[in-house]
Amino acid sequence: MTVPAPSTLQARDLSLAYGERRVVEDLSLHVPTGKVTIIVGPNACGKSTLLRGLARLLPASSGAVLLDGASIHSTPSREVARRLGILPQGPVAPDGITVSDLVSRGRHPHQGYFRRWSGDDEAAVAAALTATDTLDLAPRAVDELSGGQRQRVWIAMALAQRTGILLLDEPTTYLDVSHQVEVLDLLTDLNQTEGTTVVMVLHELNLACRYADHLVVMSGGAVAAAGEPGDVLTEQVVEDVFAMPCRVIPDPVSNTPLIVPIGRHRIG
C-alpha cells in the first residue's frame, strides 16, 4: 500500500485574519512537491496562521489557497482530507479514547456509505503505530500518556491518513531532543520512501536547517526569505528577523547552516 501521488499546494496573494486583526497579508508561496518544507520565524509572525490557512482550517480574508490548481475552499471536505493531512498545534483527544481508536480515525476520509473497514485500513494503522514506536501503547487511553507519547500518537494518526501532503504545526512540541530527532527522521523517511510532501512549522533553527529541503523564513506576516537553507539563513537574515546577532558556520554533521547565537556573556 502506497501513499497517493502528492498534490500541488500554493498560496496566492493570501491574507488571513482573526476578526479585524490581520496576521498574514498578501502572501504568495509555492510548496515544492515531494520535498520537506519547514517554516520558521519569531513568535507571532504568522507561521501557525499560515499553516492553518493552507489546511483550510482558517478562511482566507482575500487571495486563495490552491490545491491541484483549484481553490481549496471549493473542494469537497472529504476530497481535501484524502489529499492533505494536518496535525495542528495542541490537538485534544476525546476523553477516554484509546490510542488504537484515535489512530484509526485517520482512516475516516477513506470511509464512505458503502466502504467499511478493510485490510488496507488495518495495515495503514499498524504501519503508523510501528513507524512512531507507539504499537505497545495501542490499548492504552490517550489521556494516560506523557506529553511526548501523546505527540507521537497524534503523528501516527496523521500518518494513518496516508495523504500525499502532510502539514504539521510544531510536531516536536513536548519532546526531548532525542525524540525530536526521531520524529524528524521519521518524517524525512516518509518523504524519501513515499514521496510525501511535508510542510511543518518549527522553532529550532538548527534542526530546521538540517531537515529542510526548502526553508521559509517569515516575519510580520510575510515571507522574508525562502529557498535552500544554505542560501536563506545568513547571519544578516537571522539578525534582521530574529533580532539575534549570530555566527553561521557549517554543521559538522550535516554541513547545513549551524546558527551560533552571540549573547553578552561567555564570549571568548
Side-chain angles (χ1 to χ4, degrees):
M1 181 176 55
T2 58
V3 171
S7 297
T8 61
L9 183 66
Q10 60 181 307
R12 182 179 296 169
D13 302 323
L14 180 66
S15 294
L16 299 164
Y18 298 102
E20 297 298 317
R21 182 170 65 92
R22 288 279 183 114
V23 178
V24 170
E25 191 79 42
D26 295 329
L27 182 150
S28 292
L29 175 69
H30 172 74
V31 175
T33 301
K35 302 292 184 181
V36 175
T37 293
I38 299 182
I39 304 170
V40 298
N43 290 338
C45 72
K47 303 184 298 295
S48 294
T49 299
L50 173 59
L51 205 72
R52 286 171 56 82
L54 292 175
R56 205 175 72 164
L57 298 178
L58 185 66
S61 301
S62 61
V65 175
L66 304 179
L67 182 63
D68 288 332
S71 169
I72 198 169
H73 289 283
S74 65
T75 305
S77 297
R78 186 176 292 272
E79 185 58 34
V80 171
R82 287 173 179 163
R83 295 191 239 170
L84 184 151
I86 173 72
L87 177 61
Q89 199 174 96
V92 178
D95 289 341
I97 192 170
T98 65
V99 168
S100 60
D101 285 344
L102 181 65
V103 176
S104 295
R105 292 191 176 198
R107 302 302 298 164
H108 284 184
H110 303 277
Q111 308 302 311
Y113 293 113
F114 303 107
R115 186 187 182 284
R116 298 184 178 181
W117 191 261
S118 69
D120 280 349
D121 296 320
E122 196 73 40
V125 169
L129 290 168
T130 300
T132 53
D133 194 24
T134 54
L135 190 60
D136 61 329
L137 302 177
R140 294 181 59 184
V142 174
D143 51 18
E144 295 177 356
L145 305 179
S146 69
Q149 288 172 325
R150 282 197 300 272
Q151 190 71 351
R152 284 188 284 140
V153 167
W154 282 108
I155 291 171
M157 190 189 77
L159 294 184
Q161 197 171 331
R162 307 290 289 187
T163 57
I165 301 176
L166 188 57
L167 309 181
L168 306 103
D169 193 358
E170 293 289 350
T172 56
T173 299
Y174 306 121
L175 301 180
D176 58 32
V177 173
S178 65
H179 282 109
Q180 288 179 36
V181 171
E182 285 182 15
V183 165
L184 294 172
D185 279 344
L186 165 66
L187 295 170
T188 300
D189 288 343
L190 183 70
N191 165 257
Q192 293 180 352
T193 60
E194 306 285 3
T196 304
T197 299
V198 177
V199 183
M200 65 181 115
V201 169
L202 285 185
H203 273 296
E204 223 301 322
L205 290 179
N206 289 326
L207 286 178
C209 286
R210 180 176 291 187
Y211 284 93
D213 298 311
H214 186 74
L215 192 69
V216 177
V217 182
M218 289 191 65
S219 178
V223 174
E228 294 185 7
D231 297 331
V232 167
L233 219 58
T234 64
E235 293 175 5
Q236 191 63 56
V237 167
V238 174
E239 183 159 7
D240 289 346
V241 172
F242 295 91
M244 183 180 72
C246 72
R247 291 291 180 265
V248 177
I249 62 175
D251 186 315
V253 173
S254 61
N255 203 36
T256 53
L258 180 68
I259 293 84
V260 182
I262 299 175
R264 295 184 295 108
H265 301 284
R266 300 293 184 181
I267 299 175

